[in-house]
Amino acid sequence: MAKELWKGNEAIAEAAIRAGCRCYFGYPITPQSEIPEYMSLHMPKVGGIFLQSESEVAAINMVYGASGAGARVMTSSSSPGISLKQEGISYICSAELPAVIVNVMRGGPGLGTIQPSQGDYFQATRGGGHGDYRVIVFAPANIQEVVDLMQDSFELADKYRMPVMMIMDGMIGQMMEPVEWKKPPVNPEDLPAKPWATTGTKGIHEPKAIHSLFIDPNESNDHNMRLDAKYQRIMADEQRYETSETEDAELIFVAFGTPARLARAAARLLEEEGIKAGVFRPITIWPYPYDALYQAAAQDSVKAVVTVEMNTGQMIDDVRIAVRGCKPVSFVGQAGGRVPTPQEVVAAAKSALGR
Amino acid sequence: MAKELWKGNEAIAEAAIRAGCRCYFGYPITPQSEIPEYMSLHMPKVGGIFLQSESEVAAINMVYGASGAGARVMTSSSSPGISLKQEGISYICSAELPAVIVNVMRGGPGLGTIQPSQGDYFQATRGGGHGDYRVIVFAPANIQEVVDLMQDSFELADKYRMPVMMIMDGMIGQMMEPVEWKKPPVNPEDLPAKPWATTGTKGIHEPKAIHSLFIDPNESNDHNMRLDAKYQRIMADEQRYETSETEDAELIFVAFGTPARLARAAARLLEEEGIKAGVFRPITIWPYPYDALYQAAAQDSVKAVVTVEMNTGQMIDDVRIAVRGCKPVSFVGQAGGRVPTPQEVVAAAKSALGR
Amino acid sequence: MASGKVTFRQERCKGCSLCVSVCPAKIIFLDESTTNIKGYHPATVTEMDRCIGCANCARICPDSIITVERN
Amino acid sequence: MASGKVTFRQERCKGCSLCVSVCPAKIIFLDESTTNIKGYHPATVTEMDRCIGCANCARICPDSIITVERN
Amino acid sequence: MAYNEILIAGFGGQGVMSMGTTMAEAALSEGLNVSWLPSYGPEMRGGTANCSVVIADSEIISPIVLQPSELIAMNLPSLDKFEPAVKSGGYIFVNNSIIKRKLARTDVKAIYVPTLDIAAELGNMRVANMVMLGSYIEATGVLKFDTVVNMLRNVFTGKKAHLVEINRQALQRGAACV
Amino acid sequence: MAYNEILIAGFGGQGVMSMGTTMAEAALSEGLNVSWLPSYGPEMRGGTANCSVVIADSEIISPIVLQPSELIAMNLPSLDKFEPAVKSGGYIFVNNSIIKRKLARTDVKAIYVPTLDIAAELGNMRVANMVMLGSYIEATGVLKFDTVVNMLRNVFTGKKAHLVEINRQALQRGAACV
Amino acid sequence: MAIVYQKSKGLTDVELHYCPGCTHGIVHKLVAETLEELDVLGNTIGVAPVGCSVFAYKYFNCDMHEAAHGRAPAVATGIKRVLPEHIVFTYQGDGDLAAIGTAEIVHAAMRGEKFTTIFINNAIYGMTGGQMAPTTLVGQRATTAPLGRDREHYGSPIRMSEMLATIDGAAYIERVTVTTPANIIKAKRAIKKAFQLQIAGKGFTMIEVLSTCPTNWGLTPVEALEWLNNNMVPAFPLGVFRDITAEEAK
Amino acid sequence: MAIVYQKSKGLTDVELHYCPGCTHGIVHKLVAETLEELDVLGNTIGVAPVGCSVFAYKYFNCDMHEAAHGRAPAVATGIKRVLPEHIVFTYQGDGDLAAIGTAEIVHAAMRGEKFTTIFINNAIYGMTGGQMAPTTLVGQRATTAPLGRDREHYGSPIRMSEMLATIDGAAYIERVTVTTPANIIKAKRAIKKAFQLQIAGKGFTMIEVLSTCPTNWGLTPVEALEWLNNNMVPAFPLGVFRDITAEEAK
Ligand SMILES: Cc1ncc(C[n+]2csc(CCOP(=O)(O)OP(=O)(O)O)c2C)c(N)n1
Ligand SMILES: Cc1ncc(C[n+]2csc(CCOP(=O)(O)OP(=O)(O)O)c2C)c(N)n1
Ligand code: SF4
Ligand code: SF4
Ligand code: SF4
Ligand code: SF4
Ligand code: SF4
Ligand code: SF4
Ligand SMILES: [Mg+2]
Ligand SMILES: [Mg+2]
């Protein structure tokens, strides 16, 4: 198929519709408002539901209701709005319902800036809400990858009955890039039935209840252990990452999303100076590809690991966990809307190598 | 001073008043409702402000306003309510205002259970809200320690102009234990002035603005870097922890809050079997005492590190980061209201030692 | 006057007395001679012949434990 | 009729024409011969003697850039 | 090393909670370590109430009592629910004014206390819980009789001072049941 | 290896954004890698607009252009703001219909294009941005003239088809300014 | 003899956990009977709140979805938009609906969401132990208002029915109570009308039921009914506050 | 010659970032003039919202506190409770006040919080680029309602002044506009009265100002004023909706 030029946010919305999403609830916030805007125009055309809610809190709870009723449903927001959704996300995880949540990140904390950032890594990977839960988190690095991952997001959400989050810095939402629509669109009618959905007993089945209350400590513990077992399964089966030139590298950059591009540019600059640097890019940041990163870092050739982020250093915790002290780990980044330059990344790499 | 029997939640409230807190906003939620209840009766007696808000979202924003106006202010809630406060906490951090936030944790995720839990470790230490920010987090292990740490909490909040969070499992809020009031009460009038507070220009000073908006990426980056420098300072200066019998131990338990008691009981049981086990208890879980834990774990005598938590394994990430792969790290815990027994902890310890 | 009959699912009675308070015949009382599994003295009627089957008691019983029949 | 005088802080004018629309004397216009630093044709008055000093223009100017004086 | 884990359970209104706090206060004044933990939550709507008390001369490990060394069962559902959990060799105190069955277990010590009957004899149904407490003290020796009475003097002051005596009698009558 | 980082800046309404998307579409149809990124936010309320376009035959590193290889300045504030950032040896295209000053820098190539004057001559003020684009293409050789014209054919169809010609003329007149 | 009253098939056989004499149980029956009579149990999805009625999902004999505190109207919106032919209702307390969930109920009404809300106003936070609600009466004691609600500090109780009746999207709003068998019959009629208007697609419908909380009011169940009549009814007048069918008829 | 009109000292010299002809600037002036005239600038704390007026904290010549989106009434409550002798106001848009911040404004009114709210109703989300607001008119286009607001889907616009006027704690509520010099004078009078009642400790006061958003309405500033007059005023009638001083006088 030919490539088309798409604005990131519109591509996200279109990709969701092509993935069979027929239900969207959201509240405007820069830099992702084009998602609800696109949905408002295009959802009705495919017989889907678009509703602008009174707030992000309401939106996530509408998602909760719609998902319980069996819909393939999505919401999107940007950082402060995602913070407001945390209670609702925790409920959806506990009630084990599928949903896709997009966070087009802006700089924080507080009102911050509407410029791009990756400041919500912790929130996404550690659950900003209360209790023991996880969401699968994809961190695409360009618009094409957003589009490619959207269908997977809905499928994993259904498969594991849990939210899948897609996080990207605001730049990806605002920019235009060429996109190729590789997968055929999903017809929601072809999707497998959801026997757990509350769609009325029809007088046939026993009443169903979607809930997250387990008042008895033993029941609650069992529920948590069951969820944990599911999360362990996902950790085993769903890690994704990409490496470039990591074999026999002297230095490994670790970066997710946009900074991975910068890291590759920096690696090329380093190559010119005779330093072999590779880039390890997690695509799922939860489950985090710990073992793969360890393998890469543990190679004899590797002298240092440098994480590159558009924040003050968040993924570096996971990198440290992965690397298990086998190599020194350091950080280079910019927060709150600034993007590190390849030159800054090169400088950080050299200093990590002691040159 | 003589010991008195206090219910945890009431001791928290009384300790706050004795620490000079004269302003409280909150919303009821089990198992912490006795905090607002106590405040409603006792705040007016000291000329303080108690206001029950319409929601947790409103409460944290009232805290934001009151702190900006110069008050020594506190709010409290339990897990789902703390999730709702995340946006507000992110704002307060960015605007650099002091506040004390108490989370008497219950089992999650979702509505979960009202029974005690430690499921909000990630949320507290990694910032459940958006953007790069941290809060100082105390994790007391009994009511006496809650009381002892309260004054420090307000002082650190003022010193660093940021929220200090105190998290404890619901048991600590609900139980009664003997308490000794060691420190003299603070008279709020004696506290240092807050020149940054918005209390009117009086026609004398330039208008002040409390805000968290840094729209320009460079300004935003600078703001984040300044915050980060503050956090680095706190990491260097404010770590607190307690060790018991860790020297030359064969096994180190790591636990915060109530499970540290269980770990000590387990250590005594192990001793009877000839296994020397020590307990490392972080008192600040952010800043986390990484180096001290590393020192303890790196001793030649140590064969294994076992973390004990009332969740499905959250602090274990920090333990892994601290231990840097120098010793195997494993986990034992119960989630959602159940507390692991000393016997379960002993069994986990033995299996970690391969016995 | 119509004649009625009421039956109580006594093991579920919480002894709240709401039925007692609305019976026009004033024939319902809490049976203090017994305690059900929940620890309450359950509601009962002995002079059933005075029951008019008005269903006031059943209508107000929050626990839906009263069935009323009528001729 | 009172006579007035208006002054515009032209470099801040956004050329919105609100003042133009409310001047009873119809003497305000946007000066198309010039562009200020912000890229707008700023409001101006040439026939100042027809100004009655009613302050309509100043009252409606969202950017508070008009000062009105009157005899 | 004394380490008593006590579970007190019954209907709401039977004075279960205050029996626990009275024990805790007394233990504190004897210089022991102590914790008191109520059960809480919507199950309370159903009308049941229970609390855990731990009294020890060493550090208290957990205020939650899962396997009580002593169970005080004020009603049948509580006995049914918790009898199996009691530690072998422990005590079960049975409020046999309303619990009509005997214990199923034989590896624990049973103390039957007709709390309501005695309270009725004393002319105040509200002291039934103190009758039970008297039995507990006598049987276990965990707390001193005088400490508890002194404690009551602190609780009932002013207009309520006259209540000390009837509570003391209740304790004594309970002790006599052992 | 071609790697062009273009910054286009001016007032809102000068066609800055569409100049950028036109370049991006054309680049795509030439099989090049391309990205387009608008500035956004409340500063837009002030009436300024700018966008970054990157056109390259290799992977695009970042769509943000901090040090443009080519700056297209449609008004004076934009020139003032971005002139210092342009890479040495790069280009600055100056809309000298409204920018009355010359460049301060000497290490960059200056192209002065009287976009409004030419657009006025062509009888449609809205093609001023295409005049500028014509100059850009001609000076840099980054895109082929024909590609851009073909692209315009895709954009202006049906009732608007007649606009292709005037836009083509605008491009040509712009090219002639170089 | 014929059965003239028995437990509704709209309720499951699970025992209610409510305190003795709590009117939550009465209202449950009325909703259940309505669903049974309208023969829509198989086609209904109820939304339970967080509050004493948190376990409502075990009691109603239809599919149920439990919402977060205050968010039942948002959850119901999600459900009803996906299943427009189904019957959807929320069952919410005054803390849930009139405090934390204020925005959600107002906007469900504004959008004219086609579900029915049963609003249990007992002037207190029952579940959490008797804290002040936005509907607590001036002077009424609560665990967070130990000296009684002070008008100067907290204002007067909010009247949600009156407030929501200003909103166009609300089709039917009535305030009832369940203090006597006669009032119970009236309440039932109101609830039924609300569901009927929902089925007719008229818009948002809400029935506010003045209810008791004997436990937290510190009264016996029978005293509580009296207290409600004497104190709550004057502060929260019974009646119909909005009825678009009446307006349409004009 | 004497100066009859000049920029208020209640405004700083910072240039406003608003679009040309946006009435936000007019309302800023009225508030500033009021504070100047009441001589309370040194004693006032304003609360800025998230919306186009997010930078209001740079413009008012008094201490300012910027709130999160919708939460200005909660922030103002915190401030006013700590500093009861100070003057506190919030300045909020319709997305801020009537959507995400619904609960906060309702409960500030209920409690009778003694601050003044300036509510800028421009029937649109200005800052984020013209999305639908709860006050968007039926049929009015918005970027999230590309075919115009559909009553069946979204209900009719919410009238916040009417709704809040049902609340006892509200002392004064009036809706004004700024489309003409005469209306501007009336609006100023309303704003001044609100602040005066705040100073007198009467309770919550709010002035709703029907405003324009020429940019997102796609109209020139002058056309926007006309559109407001022709379309918004009929949907949102001007007038006083609550005035306890009038009630007290009775
Ligand atoms: C986010 C959140 N905040 C607070 C609570 C605690 N909580 C549970 S129910 C409730 C209020 C109950 O009162 P109401 O809604 O009036 O219902 P009632 O129990 O009186 O029927 C509260 C505050 C919670 N579960 N979640
Ligand atoms: C939690 C959160 N949600 C959404 C936003 C994005 N946002 C900023 S302003 C705004 C609405 C602005 O509209 P309004 O309040 O009507 O003010 P106006 O710009 O029209 O004056 C929105 C949705 C945000 N900053 N924070
Ligand atoms: S049916 Fe009527 S008369 Fe019979 S017991 Fe019930 S209330 Fe009394
Ligand atoms: S109303 Fe029902 S629960 Fe109450 S006493 Fe009568 S039968 Fe028992
Ligand atoms: S003061 Fe009146 S007459 Fe003079 S310019 Fe202004 S509007 Fe016109
Ligand atoms: S109203 Fe003010 S900004 Fe608008 S044109 Fe007139 S002077 Fe300029
Ligand atoms: S606490 Fe109150 S509302 Fe809740 S069940 Fe008991 S009586 Fe009913
Ligand atoms: S977008 Fe609208 S409301 Fe915002 S400044 Fe521009 S005209 Fe005013
Ligand atoms: Mg209630
Ligand atoms: Mg608006």
Side-chain angles (χ1 to χ4, degrees), chain E residues 45, chain G residues 18-19 22 24 52 122 126 212-216:
Chain E
R45 299 281 168 279
Chain G
Y18 299 109
C19 303
C22 173
H24 265 301
C52 275
N122 58 8
T212 65
C213 177
T215 300
N216 287 301

Side-chain angles (χ1 to χ4, degrees), chain D residues 6 19 22-25 27-28 45 50-58 68:
Chain D
V6 291
C19 55
V22 296
C23 174
I27 53 176
I28 315 181
V45 163
R50 287 176 48 208
C51 171
I52 59 173
C54 68
N56 271 4
C57 53
V68 183

Side-chain angles (χ1 to χ4, degrees), chain C residues 12 14 38 58-59 68, chain G residues 2 4-5 13 15 18 29:
Chain C
R12 290 199 171 188
K14 292 178 183 157
K38 305 169 75 71
R59 197 157 270 133
V68 183
Chain G
V4 293
Y5 199 102
D13 199 45
E15 250 181 88
Y18 299 109
K29 292 201 301 184

Side-chain angles (χ1 to χ4, degrees), chain E residues 41-46, chain G residues 17 19 52 55 126-127:
Chain E
E43 72 271 25
M44 286 168 62
R45 299 281 168 279
Chain G
H17 73 293
C19 303
C52 275
F55 290 122
M127 162 168 243

Side-chain angles (χ1 to χ4, degrees), chain C residues 4-8 13 16-29 43-45 48 51-69, chain G residues 4-7 25-26 29 33 178 180-182 184-185 225:
Chain C
K5 176 169 161 244
V6 292
T7 5
F8 298 87
C13 177
C16 72
S17 283
L18 292 191
C19 55
V20 176
S21 76
V22 297
C23 174
K26 305 228 173 295
I27 54 176
I28 315 180
F29 60 96
T44 192
V45 163
M48 194 68 81
C51 171
I52 58 172
C54 67
N56 271 2
C57 55
R59 197 157 270 133
I60 208 166
C61 175
D63 292 88
S64 291
I65 67 173
I66 310 179
T67 303
V68 183
E69 290 160 285
Chain G
V4 293
Y5 199 102
Q6 64 184 349
K7 183 168 175 172
I26 304 180
K29 292 201 301 184
E33 289 167 7
V178 287
T180 62
I184 292 170
I185 289 169
L225 292 181

